[in-house]
Amino acid sequence: MIKSKITGVGYYVPKKTVTNDDLSKVLTTNNDWIIERTGVQERRYADVEGGEKNYEMAVKASEDAIAMAGMTAEDIDLIVYATLSSEYVFPGSGVLLQRSMGFRNIAAIDVRAQCSGFVYGISIADQFIKTGMYKNVLVVGSEIHSTGLDFSDHGRHITVIFGDGAGAAVLTAYEGESGILSTHLHSQGQFAEELACIDPGFSKKERFTPDMVEPGGGFFPVMNGQLVFKNAVVRFSEVINEALSHNNMTAKDIDMLIPHQANLRISQFIQQKFGLRDDQVHNTIQKYGNTTAASIPITLCEAYKEGKIKDGDIVCLAAFGSGFTWASALIRW
Ligand code: COA
């Protein structure tokens, strides 16, 4: 049976590092609060003044992933691009990536599943590969949050968490033991507004009003932090268990868990719950913050490059975020 194997991974983070002390200069916050509640020590911000763009970060991550797979852009049959921070309202960033790297006129699908976007993308890629329609699919997650955050005290509980970056993976048709074993995707729109950026929506008579750009206005993300936290720990656990039971496995079979980097406390809770050692869970939120759709591919790639993932390992990707959406992918590397 045809499976999808991850044959290449890559990531890119912008050069500019913003520490918690840097944020303390513009927000009423402090290093201790941020570290204790979120685990974030620093994050990267894209050089938007210098013209750096979401899709350009994706290009850098994709170049590495495609090179590791031993391919060129011409070998790729489909782009799946997960982001909540695209350049334009439309078109999506997928087509901007398509025109920038020498791809053929292949389809580019943009995925709007926020923090679950990369795992949703992996699942979409996997379905196209398993049906035989495509052989090589590029899945990307890329975000520029730094231009959309509320740097007033109103938004400080959100602003301190998020950072910019991009990650990518190439999935290739493969017949053998390795590959994606299963994916499980969920959503619960009941909580859509609990972690959201509301404006500029199309369903309003006035799409733009001056108050939207004031602190607390609809241009900035809102987050009910405690509700998000409580749902995250439940849904992460559920969707990892769903992946394990679907494959007749238990937590003892997991060699490496790559959780979406929502918050270090959430990752640590999940690690404890599944009885995993420190070397079985890789986290990057300390250095890069929460990069939404990019967090899993960045963390997966770093774990791989550090030699923490070996052929045959069982790797579990798990995500939760705005929507709410949540998802998992179980992989035999
Ligand atoms: N620095 C200092 N103080 C801050 C602050 C900041 N950046 N942000 C909020 N505070 C203050 C609040 O004003 C509040 O003060 P008060 O007690 O005087 O009213 C206090 O800290 C507690 O605020 P609260 O929002 O209740 O904190 P919390 O313990 O819930 O922690 C989060 C906030 C966001 C860290 C936490 O809710 C969380 O981690 N949620 C999950 C978020 C997440 O994972 N999001 C990504 C999902 S993909």
PDB file of all heavy atoms in Angstrom, residues 59-71:
ATOM      1  N   VAL A  59       9.805  30.262   1.578  1.00  0.00           N
ATOM      2  CA  VAL A  59      10.754  29.860   0.528  1.00  0.00           C
ATOM      3  C   VAL A  59      12.002  29.255   1.169  1.00  0.00           C
ATOM      4  O   VAL A  59      12.478  28.185   0.768  1.00  0.00           O
ATOM      5  CB  VAL A  59      11.143  31.066  -0.363  1.00  0.00           C
ATOM      6  CG1 VAL A  59      12.370  30.748  -1.214  1.00  0.00           C
ATOM      7  CG2 VAL A  59       9.978  31.484  -1.257  1.00  0.00           C
ATOM      8  N   LYS A  60      12.521  29.937   2.202  1.00  0.00           N
ATOM      9  CA  LYS A  60      13.772  29.478   2.814  1.00  0.00           C
ATOM     10  C   LYS A  60      13.589  28.111   3.473  1.00  0.00           C
ATOM     11  O   LYS A  60      14.429  27.227   3.339  1.00  0.00           O
ATOM     12  CB  LYS A  60      14.270  30.515   3.817  1.00  0.00           C
ATOM     13  CG  LYS A  60      14.767  31.767   3.078  1.00  0.00           C
ATOM     14  CD  LYS A  60      15.224  32.850   4.016  1.00  0.00           C
ATOM     15  CE  LYS A  60      15.769  34.026   3.205  1.00  0.00           C
ATOM     16  NZ  LYS A  60      15.518  35.308   3.780  1.00  0.00           N
ATOM     17  N   ALA A  61      12.473  27.940   4.169  1.00  0.00           N
ATOM     18  CA  ALA A  61      12.205  26.643   4.806  1.00  0.00           C
ATOM     19  C   ALA A  61      12.006  25.560   3.734  1.00  0.00           C
ATOM     20  O   ALA A  61      12.510  24.428   3.861  1.00  0.00           O
ATOM     21  CB  ALA A  61      10.971  26.749   5.690  1.00  0.00           C
ATOM     22  N   SER A  62      11.298  25.927   2.665  1.00  0.00           N
ATOM     23  CA  SER A  62      10.987  24.947   1.603  1.00  0.00           C
ATOM     24  C   SER A  62      12.246  24.539   0.843  1.00  0.00           C
ATOM     25  O   SER A  62      12.411  23.367   0.476  1.00  0.00           O
ATOM     26  CB  SER A  62       9.981  25.543   0.611  1.00  0.00           C
ATOM     27  OG  SER A  62       8.809  25.912   1.277  1.00  0.00           O
ATOM     28  N   GLU A  63      13.142  25.509   0.593  1.00  0.00           N
ATOM     29  CA  GLU A  63      14.387  25.176  -0.123  1.00  0.00           C
ATOM     30  C   GLU A  63      15.150  24.084   0.637  1.00  0.00           C
ATOM     31  O   GLU A  63      15.642  23.122   0.030  1.00  0.00           O
ATOM     32  CB  GLU A  63      15.259  26.428  -0.269  1.00  0.00           C
ATOM     33  CG  GLU A  63      14.803  27.332  -1.391  1.00  0.00           C
ATOM     34  CD  GLU A  63      15.508  28.688  -1.422  1.00  0.00           C
ATOM     35  OE1 GLU A  63      16.215  29.030  -0.453  1.00  0.00           O
ATOM     36  OE2 GLU A  63      15.334  29.406  -2.424  1.00  0.00           O
ATOM     37  N   ASP A  64      15.222  24.227   1.948  1.00  0.00           N
ATOM     38  CA  ASP A  64      15.945  23.231   2.744  1.00  0.00           C
ATOM     39  C   ASP A  64      15.238  21.875   2.714  1.00  0.00           C
ATOM     40  O   ASP A  64      15.879  20.828   2.616  1.00  0.00           O
ATOM     41  CB  ASP A  64      16.075  23.708   4.204  1.00  0.00           C
ATOM     42  CG  ASP A  64      17.150  24.776   4.344  1.00  0.00           C
ATOM     43  OD1 ASP A  64      17.807  25.092   3.332  1.00  0.00           O
ATOM     44  OD2 ASP A  64      17.320  25.305   5.463  1.00  0.00           O
ATOM     45  N   ALA A  65      13.905  21.921   2.839  1.00  0.00           N
ATOM     46  CA  ALA A  65      13.152  20.653   2.867  1.00  0.00           C
ATOM     47  C   ALA A  65      13.288  19.921   1.529  1.00  0.00           C
ATOM     48  O   ALA A  65      13.493  18.697   1.481  1.00  0.00           O
ATOM     49  CB  ALA A  65      11.682  20.938   3.181  1.00  0.00           C
ATOM     50  N   ILE A  66      13.202  20.680   0.430  1.00  0.00           N
ATOM     51  CA  ILE A  66      13.274  20.072  -0.910  1.00  0.00           C
ATOM     52  C   ILE A  66      14.691  19.544  -1.160  1.00  0.00           C
ATOM     53  O   ILE A  66      14.867  18.453  -1.713  1.00  0.00           O
ATOM     54  CB  ILE A  66      12.823  21.096  -1.982  1.00  0.00           C
ATOM     55  CG1 ILE A  66      11.319  21.367  -1.842  1.00  0.00           C
ATOM     56  CG2 ILE A  66      13.144  20.604  -3.388  1.00  0.00           C
ATOM     57  CD1 ILE A  66      10.790  22.528  -2.684  1.00  0.00           C
ATOM     58  N   ALA A  67      15.699  20.295  -0.717  1.00  0.00           N
ATOM     59  CA  ALA A  67      17.093  19.830  -0.886  1.00  0.00           C
ATOM     60  C   ALA A  67      17.333  18.550  -0.081  1.00  0.00           C
ATOM     61  O   ALA A  67      17.951  17.600  -0.575  1.00  0.00           O
ATOM     62  CB  ALA A  67      18.062  20.919  -0.441  1.00  0.00           C
ATOM     63  N   MET A  68      16.826  18.507   1.147  1.00  0.00           N
ATOM     64  CA  MET A  68      17.016  17.296   1.968  1.00  0.00           C
ATOM     65  C   MET A  68      16.349  16.075   1.305  1.00  0.00           C
ATOM     66  O   MET A  68      16.847  14.962   1.389  1.00  0.00           O
ATOM     67  CB  MET A  68      16.436  17.507   3.368  1.00  0.00           C
ATOM     68  CG  MET A  68      16.568  16.281   4.263  1.00  0.00           C
ATOM     69  SD  MET A  68      15.913  16.609   5.925  1.00  0.00           S
ATOM     70  CE  MET A  68      15.424  14.921   6.352  1.00  0.00           C
ATOM     71  N   ALA A  69      15.224  16.335   0.626  1.00  0.00           N
ATOM     72  CA  ALA A  69      14.524  15.233  -0.063  1.00  0.00           C
ATOM     73  C   ALA A  69      15.261  14.819  -1.341  1.00  0.00           C
ATOM     74  O   ALA A  69      14.857  13.862  -2.014  1.00  0.00           O
ATOM     75  CB  ALA A  69      13.093  15.665  -0.394  1.00  0.00           C
ATOM     76  N   GLY A  70      16.322  15.556  -1.700  1.00  0.00           N
ATOM     77  CA  GLY A  70      17.087  15.248  -2.915  1.00  0.00           C
ATOM     78  C   GLY A  70      16.320  15.627  -4.173  1.00  0.00           C
ATOM     79  O   GLY A  70      16.455  14.989  -5.222  1.00  0.00           O
ATOM     80  N   MET A  71      15.499  16.646  -4.064  1.00  0.00           N
ATOM     81  CA  MET A  71      14.648  17.046  -5.195  1.00  0.00           C
ATOM     82  C   MET A  71      14.933  18.490  -5.575  1.00  0.00           C
ATOM     83  O   MET A  71      15.709  19.185  -4.920  1.00  0.00           O
ATOM     84  CB  MET A  71      13.164  16.940  -4.790  1.00  0.00           C
ATOM     85  CG  MET A  71      12.722  15.536  -4.445  1.00  0.00           C
ATOM     86  SD  MET A  71      10.982  15.519  -3.978  1.00  0.00           S
ATOM     87  CE  MET A  71      10.900  13.865  -3.280  1.00  0.00           C
TER      88      MET A  71
END
